[in-house]
């Protein structure tokens, strides 16, 4: 037996409720803690800059799915999977029918999902929800060019950067700033 991550499909909006129910079942010994080792709802943090205010919100990046780490035995796996499927709001394991043994996701897929949700230690990626377009007038709010205003020349979403043309000593000068360092005017 080896621990693997499995994806369980749920009703939309029931992810956290099902996670709590499965954890309660583990506490009350309805599920074997040696078989069901962990339950996660994949959530990422997104920084939004709206009206000059920076807000951080949590976003489910796999809506209607939860991740379960299982150490499924060769004999008796059906009993555990049936208990998980019988939780209200669970529709089943992804990629299999109720009579089949669930298939785990690969180790790389699990690592990517856990890293994206910040479960694996290291640098947690924070995604900035940008609302800038080329030609927008912006004010730089932070850094060495704070209080300068200019026009957006380029938006690089992958790197979370803006190239803004500002007036320095009467000349137009392009500067690069983070999406969180600018606000629309």
């Amino acid at each position: 037996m080896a621990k693997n991550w499995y994806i369980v499909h749920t009703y939309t909006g029931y992810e956290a409720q099902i996670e709590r129910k499965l954890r309660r079942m583990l506490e009350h010994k309805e599920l074997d803690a040696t078989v069901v080792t962990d339950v996660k709802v994949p959530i990422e943090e997104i920084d939004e800059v709206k009206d000059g205010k920076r807000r951080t919100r949590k976003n489910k990046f796999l809506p209607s799915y939860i991740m379960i780490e299982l150490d499924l035995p060769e004999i008796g796996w059906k009993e555990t999977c049936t208990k998980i499927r019988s939780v209200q709001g669970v529709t089943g394991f992804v990629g299999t029918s109720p009579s089949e043994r669930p298939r785990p996701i690969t180790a790389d897929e699990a690592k990517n999902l856990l890293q994206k949700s910040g479960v694996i230690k290291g640098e947690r990626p924070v995604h900035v929800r940008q609302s800038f377009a080329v030609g927008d007038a912006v004010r730089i709010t932070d850094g060495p060019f704070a209080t300068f205003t200019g026009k957006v020349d380029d938006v690089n979403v992958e790197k979370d950067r803006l190239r803004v043309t500002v007036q320095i000593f009467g000349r137009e000068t392009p500067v690069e700033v983070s999406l969180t360092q600018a606000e629309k005017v």
Side-chain angles (χ1 to χ4, degrees), residues 1-121:
M1 294 191 304
K3 289 183 184 181
N4 290 305
W5 284 97
Y6 296 81
I7 304 292
V8 175
H9 188 262
T10 66
Y11 294 158
T12 303
Y14 282 71
E15 301 89 351
Q17 181 180 341
I18 292 169
E19 179 188 21
R20 286 191 303 272
K21 174 66 175 168
L22 290 172
R23 291 191 188 281
R24 232 180 283 120
M25 290 173 74
L26 285 167
E27 289 173 13
H28 295 285
K29 309 271 190 257
E30 295 173 42
L31 285 173
D32 188 359
T34 60
V35 176
V36 180
T37 56
D38 203 358
V39 181
K40 301 270 185 235
V41 176
I43 294 175
E44 66 181 339
E45 286 185 5
I46 296 180
D47 280 353
E48 284 185 321
V49 179
K50 263 188 180 174
D51 301 327
K53 295 180 183 173
R54 184 177 181 180
R55 296 180 184 99
T56 301
R57 68 178 174 91
K58 294 185 178 189
N59 189 32
K60 294 176 208 153
F61 62 88
L62 285 178
S64 300
Y65 297 97
I66 61 173
M67 296 175 65
I68 298 182
E69 187 178 35
L70 300 173
D71 193 1
L72 279 181
E74 290 299 319
I75 301 171
W77 64 266
K78 203 166 199 171
E79 179 185 338
T80 301
C81 294
T82 303
K83 285 181 182 177
I84 292 170
R85 281 189 195 101
S86 68
V87 172
Q88 185 177 0
V90 172
T91 59
F93 286 88
V94 171
T96 59
S97 67
S99 61
E100 293 178 316
R101 183 182 171 100
R103 283 183 235 124
I105 59 176
T106 65
D108 287 339
E109 290 172 327
K111 181 181 175 191
N112 288 339
L113 290 173
L114 293 170
Q115 216 167 21
K116 189 173 182 182
S117 64
V119 174
I120 294 178
K121 300 298 180 208

